[in-house]
Amino acid sequence: TLQKPLLIEKIVGLGLIVPPISSSKDIANYLAPSHILEIHDILENEERSVKLAEWIEHFDSPENLDNISIVDKLDISGTKLSRIVKPPRILRQFDLVESAWPKADDNEDFMFGKPKQSLFLSMGDSGSFVDFHIGMVGASVWIYNMLGSRTIYLVPPTDENLKIYEERMKINSCDDRFFGDLANACYKLVTQEHEFVFIPGGWIFASYLNTKSISLVGEICNMFSLPHHIQCYELQKRLKSLNTIRYPHFEVLVWCAAEYMQSLLSNKEFPHNKHGLMESAKSLLTVLRKWISKKEEHLHAQEIPPHINPSKLTNSIVYSIGKLNRGNNVKVSPLKVKAKPGPSKRVKSPAFHTDHVKKKKVPTATLR
């Protein structure tokens, strides 16, 4: 469940709701002409700010090979546009922020701010390239092409690939090699107008725009990718690239997710992939035990929600997993932690050569 890239050619029945945008001018129906965009000049390899009206004029002008630019991620959260957009039904169902984060009325002592919605517009000229990157905290990414075509390069989040990626990010300014050549696998996925793409949590990906393109991009954390979310969270902390504005209390979300997953594990009526849920819970258990160990307790205790007893919750997860495994239990030494309430890059584009990409079968499922 949500563990492999998906290309969906027809969105009928997905529950995806998007605005009728078929040109750059349509964006002006939802955002003010004076709205500021951060664009990346591909040839000059530099960032600059422009108003939406200026960008529309540039975007609608004839192709200019000396002026190729892209707006990688225009944050539209909280705008008129975001109030229209709804991700596919299954993504909303498994979005941990929506399903696991406590409702305001349910817990008056819960003082942590809810993570922001992650919704963006991605727009660019033909020939634009966004280098390999990972969603914030390894979030799963969905892309809907409203205009144009893009090619997506996908690298699976194996330990080896994530290590190569981390080392590359540390010396990025000195390394212009194509990351797909460094990884142990790189898959090529060509997407067309009005097609939908899902990229699982933790996958490392890049985009090349085959034509002028406008896409909606969303990010979610889901329970089946939670181990990858945590792994990428730790990686981005080491790289000092973590966006604390979008996820100011990611560890709080992890604890809430653990509580939610435990309720699902113990629910006999849970209709979805319980095996996948159990495997995710096993990996999560290892992380939670590490966070509440004597060695690391002082680093994580303030991110434990006050209504959660960490040792009791981890033991409950062990019990549920053992029950589902019919006695194949994991022994966990109870750990007592006093919960303390607490306060709460873009990669430079290298020279791009499509010939460098390994010719491998794209691991996608196509729904017609």
Side-chain angles (χ1 to χ4, degrees), residues 8 36 48 67 69 76 83 104 106 117 170 210-211 222 247 266 270 293 296 299 303 336 351 356:
I8 300 177
I36 300 298
R48 66 176 186 272
N67 186 10
S69 301
I76 58 172
R83 291 191 286 273
D106 294 344
Q117 179 190 31
K170 289 177 181 177
N210 306 309
T211 65
N222 71 82
Y247 289 101
S266 59
F270 181 64
S293 66
E296 294 198 11
L299 300 174
E303 294 289 293
K336 296 182 179 180
H356 288 182

Side-chain angles (χ1 to χ4, degrees), residues 182-244:
L182 307 178
N184 56 26
C186 181
Y187 304 99
K188 178 180 179 180
L189 178 61
V190 180
T191 68
Q192 304 299 335
E193 194 167 300
H194 303 311
E195 291 185 341
F196 179 90
V197 177
F198 174 77
I199 302 173
W203 281 64
I204 309 163
F205 65 100
S207 295
Y208 176 79
L209 304 192
N210 306 309
T211 65
K212 284 180 179 286
S213 175
I214 301 176
S215 301
L216 271 172
V217 180
E219 295 180 347
I220 69 161
C221 289
N222 71 82
M223 67 183 79
F224 299 107
S225 295
L226 196 51
H228 288 311
H229 296 328
I230 296 171
Q231 190 175 17
C232 293
Y233 165 72
E234 298 289 352
L235 183 154
Q236 289 169 341
K237 279 205 305 183
R238 292 193 297 272
L239 292 174
K240 295 181 171 48
S241 62
L242 193 66
N243 186 336
T244 55

Side-chain angles (χ1 to χ4, degrees), residues 87-339:
R89 193 176 299 107
I90 191 170
L91 298 189
R92 281 179 265 150
Q93 183 176 1
F94 291 119
D95 184 346
L96 286 176
V97 173
E98 297 304 321
S99 58
W101 196 266
K103 304 295 186 289
D105 297 337
D106 294 344
N107 194 327
E108 295 181 356
D109 295 329
F110 195 83
M111 77 294 290
F112 302 100
K114 184 177 180 179
K116 289 178 59 180
Q117 179 190 31
S118 297
L119 192 61
F120 310 93
L121 271 178
S122 177
M123 307 176 284
D125 296 318
S126 174
S128 300
F129 178 63
V130 180
D131 205 352
F132 285 90
H133 61 288
I134 301 173
M136 193 53 56
V137 301
S140 303
V141 177
W142 62 266
I143 302 170
Y144 176 66
N145 289 338
M146 295 187 288
L147 176 70
S149 165
R150 70 171 59 205
T151 297
I152 302 173
Y153 299 92
L154 299 155
V155 172
T158 63
D159 290 343
E160 180 183 353
N161 286 338
L162 288 172
K163 183 178 180 180
I164 295 171
Y165 174 79
E166 183 172 359
E167 291 304 313
R168 174 187 170 90
M169 293 297 292
K170 289 177 181 177
I171 60 169
N172 182 62
S173 60
C174 305
D175 192 346
D176 61 357
R177 292 173 295 174
F178 184 70
F179 180 72
D181 286 338
L182 307 178
N184 56 26
C186 181
Y187 304 99
K188 178 180 179 180
L189 178 61
V190 180
T191 68
Q192 304 299 335
E193 194 167 300
H194 303 311
E195 291 185 341
F196 179 90
V197 177
F198 174 77
I199 302 173
W203 281 64
I204 309 163
F205 65 100
S207 295
Y208 176 79
L209 304 192
N210 306 309
T211 65
K212 284 180 179 286
S213 175
I214 301 176
S215 301
L216 271 172
V217 180
E219 295 180 347
I220 69 161
C221 289
N222 71 82
M223 67 183 79
F224 299 107
S225 295
L226 196 51
H228 288 311
H229 296 328
I230 296 171
Q231 190 175 17
C232 293
Y233 165 72
E234 298 289 352
L235 183 154
Q236 289 169 341
K237 279 205 305 183
R238 292 193 297 272
L239 292 174
K240 295 181 171 48
S241 62
L242 193 66
N243 186 336
T244 55
I245 295 177
R246 192 160 301 284
Y247 289 101
H249 299 290
F250 175 72
E251 292 184 20
V252 176
L253 177 60
V254 172
W255 281 105
C256 293
E259 184 180 46
Y260 178 64
M261 290 167 69
Q262 162 57 18
S263 70
L264 296 180
L265 287 169
S266 59
N267 181 3
K268 294 181 180 179
E269 305 301 321
F270 181 64
H272 300 288
N273 181 3
K274 186 159 281 191
H275 175 74
L277 178 63
M278 186 169 62
E279 291 303 309
S280 184
K282 287 180 181 178
S283 298
L284 175 60
L285 187 62
T286 301
V287 174
L288 297 182
R289 293 179 65 190
K290 178 171 172 281
W291 285 357
I292 60 178
S293 66
K294 289 183 179 180
K295 183 178 179 180
E296 294 198 11
E297 174 187 352
H298 66 287
L299 300 174
H300 305 281
Q302 285 193 333
E303 294 289 293
I304 301 174
H307 71 282
I308 289 179
N309 182 318
S311 58
K312 182 178 179 180
L313 177 57
T314 53
N315 288 336
S316 295
I317 294 174
V318 170
Y319 175 79
S320 295
I321 292 174
K323 189 174 181 180
L324 290 170
N325 273 333
R326 296 184 180 276
N328 185 22
N329 209 340
V330 181
K331 293 183 179 180
V332 177
S333 301
L335 294 171
K336 296 182 179 180
V337 177
K338 184 179 180 181

